Amino acid sequence: MKAIEAVIKSEWSASDVARRVLDIEAAAILAVSQRLDAQFGHACQLILACRGRVVIMGMGKSGHVARKIAATMASTGTPAFFVHPGEAAHGDLGMITSADLVLALSNSGESDEIVALLPSLKRLGVPIVAMTGNAKSTLGQESSVHLDVAVAEEACPLNLAPTASTTVALALGDALAVALLEARGFQAEDFALSHPGGTLGRRLLVHVRDLMHQGERLPVVLEDVPLRDALLEISRKGLGMTAVVNAAGDLVGVYTDGDLRRTLDRDLDLRTTLVSAVMTPNPATIEASRLAAEAVQVMESRRINGLLVQDQGRLVGALNMHDLLRARVV
Protein backbone atom coordinates (compact mmCIF):
# COMPACT_ATOMS: atom_id res chain seq x y z
CA MET A 1 0.00 0.00 0.00
CA LYS A 2 2.85 2.39 0.85
CA ALA A 3 4.44 1.69 -2.52
CA ILE A 4 1.17 2.57 -4.27
CA GLU A 5 0.84 5.77 -2.25
CA ALA A 6 4.41 6.70 -3.17
CA VAL A 7 3.61 6.29 -6.85
CA ILE A 8 0.45 8.38 -6.54
CA LYS A 9 2.38 11.15 -4.78
CA SER A 10 5.05 11.14 -7.48
CA GLU A 11 4.79 12.75 -10.90
CA TRP A 12 2.69 9.84 -12.17
CA SER A 13 -0.55 11.10 -13.70
CA ALA A 14 -3.49 8.88 -14.55
CA SER A 15 -4.67 11.42 -17.14
CA ASP A 16 -1.29 11.42 -18.86
CA VAL A 17 -1.29 7.64 -19.04
CA ALA A 18 -4.83 7.64 -20.42
CA ARG A 19 -3.95 10.18 -23.10
CA ARG A 20 -0.91 8.16 -24.13
CA VAL A 21 -2.98 4.98 -24.42
CA LEU A 22 -5.70 6.71 -26.41
CA ASP A 23 -3.17 8.39 -28.70
CA ILE A 24 -1.43 5.09 -29.43
CA GLU A 25 -4.69 3.28 -30.12
CA ALA A 26 -6.08 6.13 -32.26
CA ALA A 27 -2.86 6.18 -34.29
CA ALA A 28 -3.07 2.40 -34.74
CA ILE A 29 -6.62 2.62 -36.10
CA LEU A 30 -5.64 5.45 -38.43
CA ALA A 31 -2.66 3.44 -39.72
CA VAL A 32 -4.90 0.45 -40.51
CA SER A 33 -7.36 2.77 -42.25
CA GLN A 34 -4.59 4.10 -44.48
CA ARG A 35 -3.43 0.55 -45.31
CA LEU A 36 -6.86 -0.71 -46.40
CA ASP A 37 -6.69 -2.28 -49.84
CA ALA A 38 -8.68 -4.50 -52.18
CA GLN A 39 -8.55 -7.34 -49.65
CA PHE A 40 -11.20 -5.61 -47.55
CA GLY A 41 -13.59 -5.41 -50.52
CA HIS A 42 -12.84 -9.05 -51.37
CA ALA A 43 -13.70 -10.06 -47.80
CA CYS A 44 -17.01 -8.22 -48.05
CA GLN A 45 -17.80 -9.94 -51.36
CA LEU A 46 -17.08 -13.38 -49.88
CA ILE A 47 -19.34 -12.69 -46.90
CA LEU A 48 -22.15 -11.33 -49.07
CA ALA A 49 -21.92 -14.45 -51.24
CA CYS A 50 -21.99 -16.75 -48.20
CA ARG A 51 -25.11 -18.95 -48.24
CA GLY A 52 -24.70 -19.92 -44.60
CA ARG A 53 -23.44 -17.96 -41.63
CA VAL A 54 -20.23 -16.18 -40.70
CA VAL A 55 -18.45 -18.23 -38.04
CA ILE A 56 -16.10 -16.01 -36.05
CA MET A 57 -13.35 -17.38 -33.85
CA GLY A 58 -10.40 -16.24 -31.80
CA MET A 59 -8.47 -17.23 -28.68
CA GLY A 60 -7.91 -15.20 -25.53
CA LYS A 61 -8.42 -11.46 -26.00
CA SER A 62 -9.01 -12.03 -29.72
CA GLY A 63 -11.84 -14.35 -28.70
CA HIS A 64 -13.54 -11.56 -26.74
CA VAL A 65 -13.23 -9.28 -29.77
CA ALA A 66 -14.55 -12.05 -32.02
CA ARG A 67 -17.65 -12.44 -29.84
CA LYS A 68 -18.38 -8.74 -30.14
CA ILE A 69 -17.91 -8.74 -33.92
CA ALA A 70 -20.28 -11.72 -34.20
CA ALA A 71 -22.90 -9.92 -32.10
CA THR A 72 -22.58 -6.75 -34.18
CA MET A 73 -22.87 -8.60 -37.48
CA ALA A 74 -25.85 -10.64 -36.28
CA SER A 75 -27.73 -7.50 -35.27
CA THR A 76 -27.00 -5.67 -38.53
CA GLY A 77 -28.15 -8.18 -41.12
CA THR A 78 -25.24 -10.63 -41.39
CA PRO A 79 -26.06 -13.96 -39.68
CA ALA A 80 -23.03 -14.74 -37.52
CA PHE A 81 -22.02 -16.62 -34.38
CA PHE A 82 -18.91 -17.24 -32.32
CA VAL A 83 -17.18 -20.62 -32.02
CA HIS A 84 -14.41 -21.17 -29.49
CA PRO A 85 -11.43 -22.69 -31.36
CA GLY A 86 -10.54 -24.96 -28.43
CA GLU A 87 -14.08 -26.33 -28.23
CA ALA A 88 -14.21 -26.66 -32.02
CA ALA A 89 -11.37 -29.20 -31.85
CA HIS A 90 -13.49 -31.27 -29.47
CA GLY A 91 -16.74 -31.47 -31.39
CA ASP A 92 -17.99 -27.92 -31.97
CA LEU A 93 -16.47 -28.02 -35.44
CA GLY A 94 -19.69 -29.84 -36.32
CA MET A 95 -21.45 -26.47 -36.01
CA ILE A 96 -19.68 -25.32 -39.18
CA THR A 97 -21.05 -26.37 -42.58
CA SER A 98 -19.70 -26.07 -46.11
CA ALA A 99 -22.14 -23.20 -46.70
CA ASP A 100 -20.50 -21.09 -43.99
CA LEU A 101 -17.54 -18.72 -43.92
CA VAL A 102 -14.95 -18.46 -41.16
CA LEU A 103 -13.56 -15.15 -39.91
CA ALA A 104 -10.53 -16.01 -37.76
CA LEU A 105 -8.79 -13.50 -35.48
CA SER A 106 -5.23 -13.99 -34.29
CA ASN A 107 -2.73 -11.18 -33.90
CA SER A 108 0.24 -13.50 -34.40
CA GLY A 109 -1.54 -15.64 -36.95
CA GLU A 110 -0.07 -18.67 -35.17
CA SER A 111 -2.66 -19.44 -32.47
CA ASP A 112 -2.30 -23.19 -32.03
CA GLU A 113 -6.02 -23.83 -31.56
CA ILE A 114 -6.93 -22.04 -34.80
CA VAL A 115 -4.03 -23.40 -36.87
CA ALA A 116 -5.03 -26.92 -35.80
CA LEU A 117 -8.48 -26.37 -37.36
CA LEU A 118 -7.20 -25.29 -40.77
CA PRO A 119 -7.00 -28.80 -42.33
CA SER A 120 -10.57 -29.58 -41.32
CA LEU A 121 -11.82 -26.23 -42.59
CA LYS A 122 -9.97 -26.80 -45.87
CA ARG A 123 -11.64 -30.19 -46.27
CA LEU A 124 -15.02 -28.55 -45.76
CA GLY A 125 -14.17 -26.04 -48.46
CA VAL A 126 -15.04 -23.16 -46.14
CA PRO A 127 -13.67 -19.73 -47.19
CA ILE A 128 -11.42 -18.29 -44.48
CA VAL A 129 -11.03 -14.57 -43.86
CA ALA A 130 -8.06 -14.02 -41.56
CA MET A 131 -7.56 -10.93 -39.43
CA THR A 132 -3.94 -11.00 -38.26
CA GLY A 133 -0.94 -8.78 -37.69
CA ASN A 134 1.30 -10.97 -39.84
CA ALA A 135 0.39 -11.76 -43.44
CA LYS A 136 3.21 -14.32 -43.63
CA SER A 137 1.90 -16.31 -40.67
CA THR A 138 0.35 -19.75 -41.07
CA LEU A 139 -3.18 -18.35 -40.78
CA GLY A 140 -2.37 -15.47 -43.10
CA GLN A 141 -0.95 -17.79 -45.75
CA GLU A 142 -3.74 -20.36 -45.57
CA SER A 143 -6.64 -17.88 -45.66
CA SER A 144 -8.74 -16.94 -48.67
CA VAL A 145 -8.44 -13.27 -47.72
CA HIS A 146 -6.05 -11.63 -45.26
CA LEU A 147 -6.95 -8.42 -43.43
CA ASP A 148 -3.93 -6.65 -41.98
CA VAL A 149 -4.38 -5.50 -38.38
CA ALA A 150 -0.70 -5.07 -37.50
CA VAL A 151 0.17 -2.34 -35.01
CA ALA A 152 3.46 -0.54 -34.46
CA GLU A 153 3.18 -0.91 -30.70
CA GLU A 154 0.79 -1.94 -27.98
CA ALA A 155 -0.48 0.71 -25.58
CA CYS A 156 0.85 -1.44 -22.74
CA PRO A 157 4.22 0.08 -21.64
CA LEU A 158 5.70 -3.44 -21.66
CA ASN A 159 4.43 -3.88 -25.24
CA LEU A 160 2.94 -7.18 -24.14
CA ALA A 161 -0.74 -6.92 -23.14
CA PRO A 162 -3.06 -6.88 -26.19
CA THR A 163 -4.36 -3.31 -26.23
CA ALA A 164 -3.83 -1.43 -29.49
CA SER A 165 -4.01 -4.71 -31.43
CA THR A 166 -7.40 -5.69 -30.00
CA THR A 167 -8.74 -2.16 -30.50
CA VAL A 168 -7.73 -2.26 -34.17
CA ALA A 169 -9.29 -5.70 -34.64
CA LEU A 170 -12.52 -4.52 -33.03
CA ALA A 171 -12.61 -1.37 -35.18
CA LEU A 172 -11.98 -3.34 -38.38
CA GLY A 173 -14.73 -5.76 -37.37
CA ASP A 174 -17.08 -2.81 -37.01
CA ALA A 175 -15.97 -1.57 -40.43
CA LEU A 176 -16.82 -4.96 -41.93
CA ALA A 177 -20.23 -5.05 -40.26
CA VAL A 178 -21.14 -1.54 -41.40
CA ALA A 179 -19.90 -2.11 -44.95
CA LEU A 180 -22.05 -5.24 -45.14
CA LEU A 181 -24.99 -3.37 -43.60
CA GLU A 182 -24.85 -0.74 -46.33
CA ALA A 183 -24.36 -3.32 -49.08
CA ARG A 184 -27.50 -5.15 -47.94
CA GLY A 185 -29.54 -1.94 -47.73
CA PHE A 186 -30.18 -2.65 -44.05
CA GLN A 187 -32.60 -0.12 -42.51
CA ALA A 188 -33.49 1.02 -39.01
CA GLU A 189 -36.67 -1.07 -39.15
CA ASP A 190 -34.56 -4.17 -39.89
CA PHE A 191 -32.36 -3.37 -36.90
CA ALA A 192 -35.43 -3.08 -34.69
CA LEU A 193 -36.63 -6.55 -35.73
CA SER A 194 -33.55 -8.06 -34.09
CA HIS A 195 -33.97 -5.84 -31.00
CA PRO A 196 -37.71 -6.21 -30.19
CA GLY A 197 -37.17 -6.18 -26.43
CA GLY A 198 -35.28 -2.92 -26.24
CA THR A 199 -36.31 0.71 -26.33
CA LEU A 200 -35.11 0.97 -29.91
CA GLY A 201 -37.34 -1.90 -30.97
CA ARG A 202 -40.37 -0.31 -29.37
CA ARG A 203 -39.61 3.06 -30.95
CA LEU A 204 -39.17 1.57 -34.41
CA LEU A 205 -41.79 -1.17 -34.45
CA VAL A 206 -44.78 0.47 -32.73
CA HIS A 207 -46.99 2.53 -35.04
CA VAL A 208 -49.65 5.07 -34.19
CA ARG A 209 -52.40 2.69 -35.29
CA ASP A 210 -51.21 0.19 -32.67
CA LEU A 211 -51.90 2.62 -29.82
CA MET A 212 -54.68 4.93 -30.97
CA HIS A 213 -58.20 4.98 -29.53
CA GLN A 214 -60.68 4.22 -32.29
CA GLY A 215 -64.29 3.25 -32.88
CA GLU A 216 -66.39 3.71 -29.75
CA ARG A 217 -63.29 4.81 -27.81
CA LEU A 218 -62.68 7.80 -30.10
CA PRO A 219 -64.00 11.08 -28.62
CA VAL A 220 -65.84 13.03 -31.32
CA VAL A 221 -68.71 15.56 -31.48
CA LEU A 222 -70.42 17.57 -34.22
CA GLU A 223 -69.45 21.21 -34.57
CA ASP A 224 -72.99 22.48 -33.87
CA VAL A 225 -73.46 20.83 -30.47
CA PRO A 226 -73.45 22.85 -27.20
CA LEU A 227 -70.17 22.98 -25.36
CA ARG A 228 -71.73 20.98 -22.54
CA ASP A 229 -72.07 17.96 -24.86
CA ALA A 230 -68.41 18.24 -25.79
CA LEU A 231 -67.42 18.24 -22.11
CA LEU A 232 -69.52 15.13 -21.50
CA GLU A 233 -67.76 13.39 -24.42
CA ILE A 234 -64.37 14.33 -23.01
CA SER A 235 -65.34 12.89 -19.64
CA ARG A 236 -66.70 9.67 -21.15
CA LYS A 237 -63.67 8.92 -23.29
CA GLY A 238 -61.02 10.07 -20.81
CA LEU A 239 -58.47 11.49 -23.26
CA GLY A 240 -58.68 15.11 -22.17
CA MET A 241 -59.95 16.19 -25.60
CA THR A 242 -62.53 15.56 -28.28
CA ALA A 243 -62.38 15.84 -32.04
CA VAL A 244 -64.90 18.20 -33.66
CA VAL A 245 -66.30 17.25 -37.07
CA ASN A 246 -68.83 18.67 -39.52
CA ALA A 247 -71.92 16.89 -40.82
CA ALA A 248 -69.84 15.15 -43.50
CA GLY A 249 -67.49 13.77 -40.86
CA ASP A 250 -64.58 16.02 -41.83
CA LEU A 251 -62.29 17.09 -39.01
CA VAL A 252 -62.68 20.81 -38.34
CA GLY A 253 -61.19 21.24 -34.87
CA VAL A 254 -60.38 19.91 -31.44
CA TYR A 255 -61.54 20.87 -27.97
CA THR A 256 -59.20 20.10 -25.08
CA ASP A 257 -58.86 20.57 -21.35
CA GLY A 258 -56.70 23.59 -22.14
CA ASP A 259 -59.47 25.07 -24.28
CA LEU A 260 -61.87 24.57 -21.36
CA ARG A 261 -59.67 26.65 -19.05
CA ARG A 262 -59.60 29.43 -21.62
CA THR A 263 -63.39 29.16 -22.05
CA LEU A 264 -63.98 29.53 -18.32
CA ASP A 265 -61.86 32.67 -18.31
CA ARG A 266 -64.32 34.16 -20.84
CA ASP A 267 -67.31 33.40 -18.57
CA LEU A 268 -69.33 31.73 -21.37
CA ASP A 269 -72.52 29.73 -20.87
CA LEU A 270 -71.68 26.04 -21.35
CA ARG A 271 -75.28 25.23 -22.30
CA THR A 272 -75.71 27.75 -25.11
CA THR A 273 -72.19 28.22 -26.47
CA LEU A 274 -71.48 25.97 -29.45
CA VAL A 275 -68.27 23.98 -29.39
CA SER A 276 -67.36 25.43 -32.80
CA ALA A 277 -67.10 28.88 -31.21
CA VAL A 278 -64.40 27.88 -28.74
CA MET A 279 -62.62 24.92 -30.37
CA THR A 280 -59.08 25.03 -31.75
CA PRO A 281 -59.39 24.90 -35.56
CA ASN A 282 -56.87 23.07 -37.79
CA PRO A 283 -55.60 20.83 -34.97
CA ALA A 284 -52.34 18.90 -35.07
CA THR A 285 -52.80 15.43 -36.54
CA ILE A 286 -50.70 12.44 -37.47
CA GLU A 287 -51.20 9.62 -39.95
CA ALA A 288 -52.06 6.21 -38.51
CA SER A 289 -49.18 4.64 -40.46
CA ARG A 290 -46.51 6.79 -38.79
CA LEU A 291 -44.27 5.52 -36.03
CA ALA A 292 -45.42 6.18 -32.48
CA ALA A 293 -42.04 7.82 -31.85
CA GLU A 294 -43.00 10.46 -34.43
CA ALA A 295 -46.15 11.20 -32.46
CA VAL A 296 -43.94 11.93 -29.45
CA GLN A 297 -41.90 14.34 -31.53
CA VAL A 298 -45.03 16.18 -32.75
CA MET A 299 -46.45 16.47 -29.24
CA GLU A 300 -43.19 17.75 -27.82
CA SER A 301 -42.64 20.29 -30.61
CA ARG A 302 -46.25 21.55 -30.37
CA ARG A 303 -46.30 21.35 -26.55
CA ILE A 304 -49.51 19.35 -26.53
CA ASN A 305 -50.55 16.15 -24.77
CA GLY A 306 -52.79 14.61 -27.40
CA LEU A 307 -53.07 14.04 -31.14
CA LEU A 308 -55.87 13.20 -33.51
CA VAL A 309 -55.11 10.46 -36.01
CA GLN A 310 -56.04 10.46 -39.68
CA ASP A 311 -55.85 7.93 -42.47
CA GLN A 312 -55.91 9.41 -45.96
CA GLY A 313 -57.56 12.56 -44.67
CA ARG A 314 -60.24 10.83 -42.60
CA LEU A 315 -60.41 10.94 -38.79
CA VAL A 316 -59.77 7.42 -37.46
CA GLY A 317 -58.39 7.77 -33.95
CA ALA A 318 -56.78 9.71 -31.14
CA LEU A 319 -53.99 9.17 -28.65
CA ASN A 320 -52.33 11.05 -25.84
CA MET A 321 -48.99 11.08 -24.08
CA HIS A 322 -50.20 8.55 -21.49
CA ASP A 323 -50.72 5.99 -24.28
CA LEU A 324 -47.13 6.52 -25.42
CA LEU A 325 -45.81 6.28 -21.86
CA ARG A 326 -47.68 3.03 -21.26
CA ALA A 327 -46.21 1.59 -24.46
CA ARG A 328 -42.75 2.75 -23.27
CA VAL A 329 -42.20 4.60 -26.54
CA VAL A 330 -41.20 7.71 -24.59
Side-chain angles (χ1 to χ4, degrees):
M1 181 63 71
K2 290 183 178 179
I4 295 176
E5 291 177 351
V7 170
I8 293 175
K9 291 178 181 178
S10 71
E11 295 181 356
W12 178 85
S13 167
S15 297
D16 289 343
V17 173
R19 290 189 186 93
R20 177 175 56 79
V21 171
L22 294 174
D23 287 345
I24 290 173
E25 297 197 356
I29 291 176
L30 181 60
V32 169
S33 174
Q34 294 171 341
R35 293 201 307 268
L36 275 183
D37 56 19
Q39 290 288 291
F40 184 83
H42 190 191
C44 289
Q45 291 171 357
L46 279 179
I47 295 173
L48 289 169
C50 176
R51 294 178 293 108
R53 292 172 293 177
V54 178
V55 181
I56 309 180
M57 56 179 60
M59 284 297 298
K61 305 299 186 295
S62 292
H64 296 305
V65 173
R67 288 180 186 274
K68 193 276 179 184
I69 294 173
T72 300
M73 284 191 176
S75 67
T76 53
T78 299
F81 66 97
F82 172 81
V83 168
H84 192 289
E87 298 296 336
H90 294 276
D92 281 3
L93 192 63
M95 300 169 68
I96 305 174
T97 73
S98 59
D100 297 330
L101 175 146
V102 168
L103 172 60
L105 280 66
S106 170
N107 189 43
S108 67
E110 299 293 348
S111 298
D112 292 339
E113 296 84 353
I114 294 180
V115 170
L117 297 176
L118 293 177
S120 298
L121 295 175
K122 291 288 186 179
R123 283 197 296 272
L124 276 174
V126 175
I128 301 172
V129 175
M131 194 181 290
T132 83
N134 183 3
K136 295 182 179 180
S137 63
T138 302
L139 180 57
Q141 292 291 315
E142 294 299 326
S143 62
S144 309
V145 175
H146 177 260
L147 299 178
D148 180 10
V149 289
V151 298
E153 61 177 326
E154 297 286 6
C156 165
L158 303 176
N159 202 34
L160 294 175
T163 44
S165 58
T166 49
T167 298
V168 164
L170 183 62
L172 193 60
D174 285 342
L176 266 176
V178 174
L180 295 167
L181 175 154
E182 293 195 6
R184 297 181 193 280
F186 196 79
Q187 301 296 318
E189 290 77 10
D190 302 310
F191 189 89
L193 289 173
S194 59
H195 298 74
T199 300
L200 178 64
R202 288 190 293 273
R203 289 179 62 85
L204 292 178
L205 295 177
V206 178
H207 291 78
V208 170
R209 67 164 58 91
D210 300 323
L211 303 178
M212 69 183 187
H213 299 254
Q214 55 187 316
E216 292 299 319
R217 298 168 58 215
L218 171 62
V220 58
V221 296
L222 290 170
E223 61 182 340
D224 58 358
V225 303
L227 181 53
R228 183 180 61 178
D229 292 353
L231 296 179
L232 290 173
E233 180 72 352
I234 292 174
S235 297
R236 281 194 297 265
K237 303 302 171 62
L239 290 183
M241 65 177 178
T242 182
V244 182
V245 299
N246 61 23
D250 300 320
L251 179 65
V252 295
V254 67
Y255 192 78
T256 69
D257 289 341
D259 292 319
L260 174 59
R261 288 190 291 271
R262 288 184 286 273
T263 300
L264 294 176
D265 287 340
R266 295 167 59 185
D267 196 25
L268 297 173
D269 189 335
L270 303 184
R271 294 170 298 179
T272 59
T273 301
L274 299 183
V275 67
S276 58
V278 290
M279 69 181 184
T280 298
N282 303 314
T285 64
I286 191 168
E287 286 292 315
S289 60
R290 307 307 297 177
L291 292 172
E294 294 179 77
V296 176
Q297 184 179 31
V298 173
M299 289 186 196
E300 289 179 341
S301 63
R302 299 286 291 265
R303 297 184 179 181
I304 56 179
N305 293 317
L307 270 178
L308 297 175
V309 184
Q310 293 188 307
D311 184 8
Q312 298 181 352
R314 302 294 295 176
L315 177 68
V316 294
L319 78 165
N320 62 19
M321 189 63 76
H322 295 297
D323 299 317
L324 299 167
L325 287 168
R326 279 193 295 270
R328 293 193 293 171
V329 175
V330 180

